[in-house]
Amino acid sequence: MSGQTPPSNPTADPYQYLQIVNNFDGTITRHRKIPNTPATPDPDHPTPVLSKDIPLNQSNKTWVRIFLPKQVLHNPSSSKLPLIVYFHGGGFIIYSAASTVFHDFCSNIAIDVNAIIVSVDYRLAPEHRLPAAYDDAVETLHFIKTNQDEWLTKYADFSNTYIMGSSAGGNVAYHAALREADQIENLEPLIIKGLILHQPYFGGTQRTESELRLANDPVLPLPLFVNDLIWELSLPIGVDRDHEYCNPTVGGGSQRLEKIRLLGWRVLVIDCKGDSLIHRQIELVKMMEEKGVVVVSQFDEGGHHGVDLGDLSRAKALNVILKNFMLHS
């Protein structure tokens, strides 16, 4: 990792870039207008993928959105579908499971991969700093195993479950997997087959080569110190970016990866070389491989952070990768 100082713009305001205002009570006001899509549970709706919202923890105001390929309703004798527990991106501070960009992303996965998706609306920082999102992730897995919703009990194959996340959601997925690997027997009948990290959001106190080289990334522009602000708002107060929540390679990585190796979970890491975080992913893959974890990595040319969420052709290509990974897990 490089210790160079990245290019900077002293007049830039990361709060303005993110369209947030920092309040005196430790909360933020979010001014960014993010389109949302309502769930469509009605089987007569023309959409090929149905969706419904179910409360997770009413005290925490968390919930999940389940995506079901409608075709299974017309073919009840077919085999149950793989289950993907998904965590959305947004730097831990913005977006939700209802955000149109993630609703559409999950819908496309459900139809292309032929899987049931449970997308989690976890608590956001800084109102709920990490590890709150990890707590919600673990709670979701235990919620699914006991929930009696028909879409899950009738159509989901609990013995073929994957934990997946994009960007910050990839970070949540990673840490949820580490936690659950230690108490996997408590998840039955859920059986985790693999972990899918889609451009997972990690960091560290020192800049990587790609963070310096791609300092003007359209989504994570380091000159604006947006990346640093996101971590400042999300991490526990008083820790730096070499905390394990941010930097998974610190200290050689978590000892719980040994349990993931013993469980035989396969890990898919997906990114593109135009993402300023690409070297974080390369370091993550190397660390997991050194610990004996079976890792499949897919690092495409070009692109940028979040490119698969807005480019349908790339999203389709991603879903082919997901389907092949799941077939061999």
Side-chain angles (χ1 to χ4, degrees):
M1 295 177 66
S2 171
Q4 300 177 53
T5 301
S8 63
N9 180 351
T11 65
D13 182 353
Y15 287 95
Q16 183 177 6
Y17 178 88
L18 291 168
Q19 298 178 45
I20 60 175
V21 174
N22 198 21
N23 301 320
F24 291 110
D25 61 358
T27 66
I28 59 173
T29 301
R30 299 162 176 84
H31 290 298
R32 178 177 293 197
K33 303 299 182 183
I34 298 175
N36 288 331
T37 296
T40 51
D42 184 357
D44 294 327
H45 193 281
T47 179
V49 179
L50 302 178
S51 56
K52 70 166 70 169
D53 296 339
I54 300 178
L56 173 62
N57 184 318
Q58 293 184 343
S59 296
N60 291 335
K61 299 180 181 179
T62 53
W63 50 276
V64 300
R65 176 165 292 185
I66 307 176
F67 295 83
L68 178 75
K70 190 163 63 175
Q71 62 190 15
V72 303
L73 300 178
H74 308 296
N75 190 14
S77 62
S78 61
S79 301
K80 289 188 174 183
L81 302 183
L83 175 65
I84 300 175
V85 183
Y86 177 79
F87 302 94
H88 68 81
F92 309 106
I93 64 172
I94 55 176
Y95 290 105
S96 79
S99 299
T100 297
V101 62
F102 292 110
H103 176 94
D104 292 349
F105 186 68
C106 288
S107 293
N108 286 330
I109 294 175
I111 195 68
D112 290 347
V113 178
N114 199 28
I116 293 176
I117 317 294
V118 176
S119 180
V120 185
D121 196 69
Y122 53 86
R123 288 171 291 173
L124 300 180
E127 294 84 356
H128 305 282
R129 291 174 176 268
L130 298 175
Y134 308 156
D135 295 340
D136 296 341
V138 169
E139 184 176 18
T140 300
L141 293 169
H142 289 269
F143 168 83
I144 291 171
K145 76 171 188 178
T146 58
N147 190 270
Q148 294 302 305
D149 184 85
E150 184 183 62
W151 285 11
L152 294 175
T153 59
K154 190 173 182 179
Y155 302 112
D157 181 359
F158 284 4
S159 69
N160 194 14
T161 299
Y162 297 82
I163 304 175
M164 176 180 178
S166 299
S167 192
N171 177 303
V172 175
Y174 177 80
H175 284 284
L178 290 180
R179 286 191 180 189
E180 286 307 289
D182 257 357
Q183 52 180 359
I184 195 63
E185 63 280 355
N186 296 329
L187 266 186
E188 293 179 359
L190 282 188
I191 298 177
I192 308 299
K193 289 292 191 67
L195 179 59
I196 301 169
L197 306 179
H198 174 226
Q199 296 191 311
Y201 187 60
F202 294 114
T205 55
Q206 286 191 305
R207 310 298 189 193
T208 65
E209 185 276 332
S210 59
E211 285 170 340
L212 293 168
R213 176 171 48 85
L214 298 168
N216 293 313
D217 181 295
V219 180
L220 290 176
L222 279 171
L224 297 178
F225 301 110
V226 170
N227 210 22
D228 296 352
L229 174 62
I230 289 173
W231 286 116
E232 181 183 329
L233 293 172
S234 303
L235 287 169
I237 294 174
V239 307
D240 64 19
R241 295 193 307 278
D242 278 332
H243 188 278
E244 62 180 322
Y245 295 166
C246 177
N247 186 351
T249 65
V250 70
S254 172
Q255 296 302 310
R256 294 174 178 174
L257 288 169
E258 170 67 10
K259 190 65 179 290
I260 287 180
R261 180 188 72 81
L262 293 173
L263 289 168
W265 295 359
R266 299 172 77 237
V267 181
L268 173 62
V269 182
I270 307 166
D271 203 355
C272 58
K273 295 178 181 178
D275 181 6
S276 63
L277 300 182
I278 183 63
H279 277 87
R280 299 283 178 195
Q281 325 305 4
I282 293 171
E283 292 172 356
L284 178 69
V285 168
K286 180 182 178 182
M287 178 202 69
M288 288 192 290
E289 289 179 338
E290 288 175 348
K291 290 185 175 293
V293 177
V294 177
V295 184
V296 177
S297 58
Q298 178 77 29
F299 300 145
D300 293 334
E301 297 293 333
H304 57 77
H305 196 77
V307 65
D308 300 324
L309 300 173
D311 185 327
L312 185 58
S313 64
R314 291 189 71 117
K316 291 288 186 183
L318 169 67
N319 292 342
V320 171
I321 296 168
L322 295 184
K323 191 167 186 176
N324 289 336
F325 174 77
M326 293 165 66
L327 284 173
H328 294 93
S329 294

